[in-house]
Each structure stands twice: as structure tokens, then as C-alpha cells.
């Protein structure tokens, strides 16, 4: 039994929230969700939302139903059914990208599956797993996991270190990396380590801890938000072949208070564009077009799971300039922009999806 509800704008009173650009209207679109993880907005209206326990829901036209045919997930700790991304050619292909924790001989690993959504939105067909991280890990931590379609049609997938810190510097495995693959799972010839012995050819960048937010900016460059340890949550602009330093350098410390690695900087390792201390537990990341709020064009929005707000960052030297906060922003897991410029986000604490628009 699906204990959720669809909330048409006429059925629920929208709430106002203060922002630097005046009041914004927050409308709950759907509620009653169980640990929601990601939103995928569909062309022509409607959307998909994943729940970590393995359920995906299709919401459209005042109805909500469970989508059959999703991949079988290994639910453990932070693992389960994670991201959902709708590609640019969905209207022609009806394909959907899903990341999830897949059972493996060593435990579980982050995987990417692609399936075709039926016309009525009730089923995925032709589901195939095109990538899975190797080797599997036995812990329930740090799966990543976002999938982003690049402008050239290749796919970026973020993968956490699985709680095995040194493995993020070991390119013979996928832990602590961002990988780039073609849509069929093959490796692009221009990947930075393609053809190198002892290195996984899918790797685009490495030295990451647990990137749970990822999106392209208005120039098509990839940005991530990733969890540090105690302090040191980062926003990074991801570069081809770059080493982002974990666990050799970090602006955080171990939860015991001990120093991490060698300090905050080392030759050959990237510096974050921005970091938070104390940690905010960042998740979904979006770069805004400016369609409804022109002053926010190009700004980065990141959800906080710990402090229950949406962070807005701006500038050539990226800095946090605003915290958008209200009861509705309790544990923000995902944040996306709709074609009309409205901002949609998941509140895990409220078990709901909200739509934000300027107050008229």
C-alpha cells in the first residue's frame, strides 16, 4: 500500500519563505515519502522520485503510483536506490538513468542502470546495468551517488570511498572516484587514464570522499558537493584527471579529533572551490539558470542534511552568501531546476517534495 499523497496547488496552502530576492512560495507537491533520495523531472510535466529502500514513484496529473521493474537494490546503511536522472532525449527514447547499491561478492558497490519508462509511467522495461564499481565493499557507507549527463552525451557517476579511505588514492579500484562512461557502458577514448596499466579506465577524477551532489554549470563544467569528515565538506569543480586529495589532504579532522593525512594542501592535489567547517552534510547540488530569479544566474545551490537549509553560493571565488531556511528545508537531499525556472527540492525530514517560486 502506497501511503503517499499528491498535492495540487489548489489543495494545500503554499507557505512563504524569506530569500535575498524577496519572499518565495513553497508548495508541497507530494508527501508521505519514506527516505526520498532524488527527483527526476519529466518533459511535459510529472516526475519520478526514488526512495532509498528500493521504491520509485511516478507522480503526474494528480496521481501517484509505484514504478515496477526498478533494479533490485542492496539496502544497507546509506545504500539503496539512489539517484534518478532524465536524459535530454527522453522524449524520443523514454530512457531513465538510475544509480543504486548492487549486491556483489565483496558486499555491495555503486551501480548505474538504464531502463525505458512505459508511456503510462508504471513500468521500466529493457533494464540493463551498464556499470558497477569494483571491487565491492562490505560497509554500508559512502556510495556517492549522482549521475550527470554531460553535454557530449557521456555520463558522470560519483562514487564514494566506501569507508575505505586509502582506496580513494588507489586507481586500481573505483572507490572515491568520479567515473565517465558512454551511455552503453563503454569507456570514452579520451578518458584521462584510458589504456594505462593498473588503472580503471572509467576514472575521470579521484581522491574524493563521498560526493552526493553533482551538476553541470552554465558552461557545461562538472561541479560536486561532497562530505568531509568532521569539517571539510567541499564544493569542487571537477577537472579531467585531477586528484582531489582525500585522504591525504582535508580541511576536516577525524571524528576522534585526530588530524587527517598531511594537512590541507599538497603539490599535485586540488584545492576545493569552497569548504564548510563545521560540516553541513551537503547533498544535492544545482546550478541555477536565472530564469525566475535573474540575480541568481550561475549561482550554486546545495542542500544541507545537517543544518536543514539550502545553501546559495556565488562568485568567482565561491562563497556561501545565503541560507534559505524554513520548516520545509528539513534535511534537503536533492535540489533541481524545472524547465520553467522553479526550484524543486526533497526534504527527507518532511518526507516531501517542494516547489519554490517567487511570491507574486
Amino acid at each position: 500500500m502506497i501511503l503517499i499523497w499528491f498535492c495540487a496547488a489548489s489543495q494545500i496552502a503554499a507557505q512563504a519563505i524569506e530569500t535575498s530576492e524577496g519572499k518565495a512560495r513553497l508548495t508541497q507537491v507530494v508527501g508521505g515519502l519514506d527516505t526520498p533520495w532524488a527527483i527526476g523531472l519529466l518533459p511535459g510535466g510529472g516526475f519520478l522520485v526514488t526512495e532509498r529502500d528500493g521504491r520509485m514513484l511516478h507522480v503526474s496529473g494528480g496521481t501517484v503510483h509505484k514504478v515496477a521493474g526498478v533494479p533490485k537494490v542492496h539496502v544497507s546503511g546509506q545504500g539503496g536506490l539512489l539517484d534518478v536522472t532524465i536524459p535530454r532525449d527522453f522524449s524520443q527514447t523514454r530512457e531513465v538513468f538510475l544509480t543504486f547499491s548492487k549486491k556483489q561478492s565483496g558486499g555491495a558497490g555503486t551501480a548505474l542502470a538504464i531502463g525505458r519508462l512505459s508511456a503510462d509511467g508504471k513500468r521500466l522495461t529493457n533494464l540493463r546495468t551498464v556499470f558497477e564499481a569494483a571491487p565491492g565493499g562490505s560497509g554500508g557507507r559512502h556510495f556517492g551517488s549522482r549521475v550527470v549527463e554531460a553535454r557530449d552525451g557521456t555520463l558522470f557517476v560519483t562514487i564514494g570511498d566506501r569507508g575505505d579511505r586509502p582506496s580513494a588514492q588507489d586507481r586500481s579500484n573505483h572507490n572515491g572516484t568520479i567515473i565517465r562512461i558512454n551511455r552503453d557502458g563503454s569507456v570514452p577514448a579520451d578518458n584521462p587514464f584510458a589504456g594505462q596499466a593498473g588503472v580503471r579506465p572509467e576514472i575521470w577524477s579521484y581522491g574524493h570522499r563521498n560526493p552526493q551532489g553533482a551538476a553541470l554549470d552554465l558552461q557545461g563544467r562538472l561541479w560536486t558537493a561532497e562530505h568531509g569528515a568532521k569539517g571539510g565538506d567541499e564544493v569542487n569543480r571537477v577537472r579531467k584527471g585531477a586528484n582531489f586529495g582525500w585522504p591525504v589532504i582535508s580541511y576536516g579532522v577525524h571524528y576522534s579529533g585526530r588530524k587527517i593525512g598531511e594537512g590541507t594542501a599538497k603539490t599535485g592535489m586540488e584545492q576545493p572551490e569552497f569548504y564548510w567547517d563545521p560540516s553541513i552534510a551537503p547533498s544535492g547540488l544545482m546550478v541555477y539558470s536565472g530564469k525566475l530569479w535573474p540575480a541568481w544566474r550561475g549561482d550554486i545551490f546545495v542542500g544541507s542534511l545537517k543544518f536543514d537549509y539550502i545553501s546559495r553560493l556565488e562568485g568567482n571565488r565561491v562563497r556561501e552568501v545565503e541560507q534559505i531556511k524554513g520548516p520545509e528545508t528539513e534535511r534537503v537531499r536533492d535540489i533541481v531546476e524545472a524547465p520553467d525556472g522553479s526550484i524543486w527540492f526533497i526534504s527527507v525530514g518532511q518526507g516531501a517534495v517542494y516547489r519554490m517560486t517567487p511570491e507574486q
Side-chain angles (χ1 to χ4, degrees):
M1 182 177 181
I2 301 179
L3 300 174
I4 60 175
W5 55 88
F6 177 83
C7 308
S10 61
Q11 296 174 325
I12 187 168
Q15 303 298 312
I17 192 170
E18 293 290 341
T19 79
S20 60
E21 292 299 297
K23 287 186 177 180
R25 179 183 296 267
L26 293 182
T27 304
Q28 189 182 118
V29 182
V30 68
L33 302 173
D34 181 9
T35 320
W37 217 91
I39 322 163
L41 300 175
L42 298 167
F47 63 95
L48 301 173
V49 57
T50 60
E51 295 177 318
R52 198 172 62 196
D53 67 358
R55 185 168 66 165
M56 183 166 71
L57 304 170
H58 178 257
V59 184
S60 180
T63 63
V64 184
H65 52 254
K66 181 179 177 181
V67 179
V70 300
K72 183 178 181 180
V73 304
H74 181 74
V75 181
S76 174
Q78 297 169 1
L81 184 59
L82 304 173
D83 203 16
V84 55
T85 294
I86 311 301
R88 292 187 296 273
D89 65 358
F90 175 84
S91 297
Q92 292 74 47
T93 66
R94 297 199 63 83
E95 288 192 331
V96 173
F97 306 151
L98 295 169
T99 62
F100 63 104
S101 55
K102 183 178 186 295
K103 187 173 180 58
Q104 299 172 320
S105 59
T110 302
L112 170 67
I114 301 177
R116 183 172 293 117
L117 186 67
S118 61
D120 61 7
K122 293 183 177 181
R123 176 173 293 277
L124 285 180
T125 62
N126 193 30
L127 185 76
R128 65 268 189 204
T129 298
V130 298
F131 170 82
E132 58 182 274
S138 59
R141 294 185 293 158
H142 300 179
F143 288 91
S145 145
R146 297 287 174 187
V147 53
V148 176
E149 182 185 25
R151 286 184 173 178
D152 64 3
T154 59
L155 303 178
F156 293 112
V157 180
T158 72
I159 303 168
D161 69 2
R162 301 292 286 105
D164 178 8
R165 293 189 295 270
S167 68
Q169 291 293 319
D170 178 2
R171 288 172 292 164
S172 69
N173 70 78
H174 293 116
N175 292 349
T177 69
I178 293 170
I179 61 120
R180 175 177 176 253
I181 57 173
N182 294 314
R183 196 148 158 174
D184 62 0
S186 62
V187 176
D190 61 344
N191 267 14
F193 308 114
Q196 290 191 23
V199 180
R200 296 283 178 175
E202 298 88 355
I203 295 174
W204 184 257
S205 62
Y206 63 106
H208 300 277
R209 185 174 183 268
N210 190 27
Q212 285 194 345
L216 302 181
D217 67 13
L218 303 187
Q219 291 75 48
R221 301 172 301 187
L222 182 66
W223 291 72
T224 61
E226 44 193 285
H227 292 259
K230 186 178 180 181
D233 291 347
E234 297 181 353
V235 172
N236 286 306
R237 183 161 74 84
V238 178
R239 295 169 175 83
K240 178 179 181 178
N243 180 355
F244 285 83
W246 179 257
V248 179
I249 60 172
S250 174
Y251 283 89
V253 296
H254 292 294
Y255 291 105
S256 66
R258 291 187 300 110
K259 177 182 173 182
I260 291 173
E262 301 176 18
T264 59
K266 186 173 182 177
T267 301
M269 295 182 176
E270 300 293 315
Q271 286 290 299
E273 297 291 330
F274 179 81
Y275 70 91
W276 287 274
D277 190 4
S279 297
I280 70 164
S283 195
L285 178 149
M286 175 268 289
V287 181
Y288 189 63
S289 73
K291 197 164 190 176
L292 293 183
W293 291 275
W296 291 348
R297 177 176 171 79
D299 290 356
I300 299 170
F301 289 74
V302 178
S304 167
L305 293 164
K306 182 176 181 181
F307 293 129
D308 303 331
Y309 68 87
I310 296 171
S311 172
R312 183 172 69 85
L313 304 103
E314 68 174 15
N316 291 327
R317 293 188 63 184
V318 176
R319 60 192 180 95
E320 183 180 87
V321 294
E322 182 175 7
Q323 296 178 0
I324 300 171
K325 186 177 181 69
E328 300 83 2
T329 62
E330 184 181 0
R331 289 185 57 79
V332 175
R333 172 64 75 181
D334 196 15
I335 183 165
V336 299
E337 181 182 353
D340 65 359
S342 59
I343 295 173
W344 292 51
F345 64 90
I346 282 176
S347 166
V348 180
Q350 298 289 341
V353 174
Y354 292 92
R355 178 176 182 261
M356 186 170 84
T357 54
E359 182 88 331
Q360 299 299 322

